[in-house]
Amino acid sequence: MTEKWSFSTIEENIMLWIFAVIDFDGRPCIVCPWHKYKITLATGEGLYQSKNPKDPSAKPKWCSKGIKQRIHRVTVDNGNIYVTLSKEPFKCDSDFYATGDFKVIRSSS
């Protein structure tokens, strides 16, 4: 288990999180400390374990929920950390929470 640093900016607040990088099925992942979601570092996919309910002897296998987290390139040069933000044109679940839109409560009237 290796510690990695992750930076997140939400509404002009910079938060620093320390995540453990854990290997699931040969894929390095971070695990959300609150929800226990497993997100691959290489692709941003969410992983879950699935088991065939019709075969009780079957071993669980790791499956993808699809891309849930936008990934960014991080480089270190002379002790300086540089983050190159993703410019991929697709939307993913993490975009919704990064914008603050999830905090807006809409009135039914």
Side-chain angles (χ1 to χ4, degrees):
M1 193 181 298
T2 307
E3 284 189 351
K4 298 287 183 184
W5 297 84
S6 175
F7 295 91
S8 175
T9 57
I10 297 175
E11 294 186 358
E12 299 175 2
N13 295 322
I14 296 177
M15 296 182 287
L16 175 63
W17 302 96
I18 299 175
F19 288 99
V21 177
I22 302 172
D23 185 79
F24 291 99
D25 196 33
R27 295 178 269 193
C29 298
I30 57 170
V31 179
C32 173
W34 294 292
H35 307 102
K36 308 301 182 219
Y37 295 153
K38 293 148 188 70
I39 305 292
T40 64
L41 293 177
T43 63
E45 288 178 277
L47 299 181
Y48 68 97
Q49 274 194 311
S50 174
K51 188 173 180 181
N52 183 349
K54 295 179 181 178
D55 183 3
S57 64
K59 290 186 177 183
K61 64 178 186 171
W62 289 101
C63 300
S64 172
K65 298 180 191 177
I67 296 175
K68 300 295 181 182
Q69 178 68 48
R70 189 172 293 279
I71 58 171
H72 308 287
R73 187 170 57 89
V74 178
T75 53
V76 179
D77 183 26
N78 274 340
N80 297 308
I81 301 171
Y82 299 94
V83 178
T84 304
L85 299 179
S86 169
K87 293 183 181 179
E88 293 294 323
F90 67 89
K91 288 199 176 262
C92 58
D93 292 359
S94 65
D95 295 344
F96 176 73
Y97 296 103
T99 63
D101 290 344
F102 71 99
K103 293 183 180 178
V104 176
I105 299 172
R106 292 183 170 77
S107 171
S108 59
S109 53

